[in-house]
């Protein structure tokens, strides 16, 4: 799996040794906003093992978001496999340590992930699933060029599907 670099970030594959730092993040209710709830250490390990399993099978997965200045793991951004209304989709997903919110960091990461999806992995389409009330997440999706596609019920919550297809990405001139 590739390593992506941006001005402030390194996006690298997850490893099992990330469990302590990731567990600290996933125990934080702000980091886990708009999810089913915080994770225990065991749940975090299970989550990491799933991501590492995808990596090992050559499948798209989430990247660990490393803040270059301090070399600290501050969140994740990358690909997550979703099955929605009978179709398999690749989601661009992201969560960031609250200390770093509203500095454009996730947008910076998600742009690199988006370009990797279309330029290197040749994916036809990526989506983001966004809770109706999650304005920051919607802004990130919009800033990377995604547009609203439809509303679905996802894990019991009204959820907006944002999407970007390869042709739209090419038209953005980001290739
Ligand atoms: C969603 C999340 C990753 C965004 O990360 P971030 O690095 O702060 O995002 P950015 O700084 O790139 O962009 C955030 C945008 O939301 C805007 N925003 C934040 N709070 C807002 C509010 N209450 N009302 C309106 N806009 C808001 C910011 O102004 C910014 O938009 P702008 O550049 O147009 O000004 C972060 O908020 C997070 O981790 N939230 C909890 C987990 C989560 O919800 N993940 C997504 C699940 S789908």
């Amino acid at each position: 799996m590739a390593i992506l670099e941006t001005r402030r970030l390194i996006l690298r594959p997850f490893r099992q040794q990330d469990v302590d730092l990731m567990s600290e993040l996933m125990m934080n209710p702000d980091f886990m906003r708009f999810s089913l709830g915080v994770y225990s250490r065991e749940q975090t390990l299970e989550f990491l093992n799933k991501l590492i399993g995808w990596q090992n099978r050559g499948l798209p997965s989430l990247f660990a978001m490393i803040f270059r200045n301090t070399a600290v793991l501050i969140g994740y951004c990358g690909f997550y496999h979703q099955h929605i209304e009978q179709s398999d989709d690749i989601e661009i997903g992201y969560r960031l340590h609250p200390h770093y919110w509203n500095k454009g960091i996730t947008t910076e990461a998600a742009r690199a992930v988006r370009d990797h999806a279309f330029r290197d992995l040749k994916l036809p389409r990526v989506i983001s699933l966004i809770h109706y009330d999650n304005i920051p997440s919607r802004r990130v999706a919009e800033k990377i060029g995604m547009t609203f596609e439809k509303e679905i019920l996802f894990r019991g919550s009204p959820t907006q599907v944002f999407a970007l297809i390869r042709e739209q990405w090419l038209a953005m001139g980001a290739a």
Side-chain angles (χ1 to χ4, degrees), residues 30-34 91 94-97 100-108 129-131 134-137 139-140 143:
D30 288 328
F31 185 82
M32 295 301 276
R33 269 189 93 205
F34 299 106
E91 179 182 27
Y94 31 74
R95 291 187 182 277
L96 179 66
H97 188 303
Y100 299 87
W101 286 359
N102 295 325
K103 301 177 198 303
I105 289 179
T106 302
T107 302
E108 186 175 315
L129 299 179
I130 301 176
H131 188 284
N134 196 346
I135 295 167
S137 181
R139 280 300 298 139
V140 171
K143 286 192 284 180

Side-chain angles (χ1 to χ4, degrees), residues 26-96:
M26 296 187 95
M27 270 174 203
N28 179 336
D30 288 328
F31 185 82
M32 295 301 276
R33 269 189 93 205
F34 299 106
S35 72
L36 293 178
V38 296
Y39 275 23
S40 66
R41 194 174 192 282
E42 289 67 35
Q43 286 171 307
T44 302
L45 187 58
E46 211 174 290
F47 178 72
L48 280 182
N49 282 336
K50 177 163 73 179
L51 304 181
I52 293 165
W54 287 339
Q55 287 164 199
N56 291 345
R57 282 183 281 147
L59 297 172
S61 187
L62 294 177
F63 292 93
M65 221 195 268
I66 311 293
F67 196 58
R68 270 177 190 271
N69 269 355
T70 53
V72 168
L73 173 62
I74 59 171
Y76 66 68
C77 181
F79 305 110
Y80 201 84
H81 299 260
Q82 296 286 6
H83 187 75
I84 293 153
E85 295 180 337
Q86 283 86 49
S87 85
D88 291 325
D89 263 306
I90 301 280
E91 179 182 27
I92 294 186
Y94 31 74
R95 291 187 182 277
L96 179 66

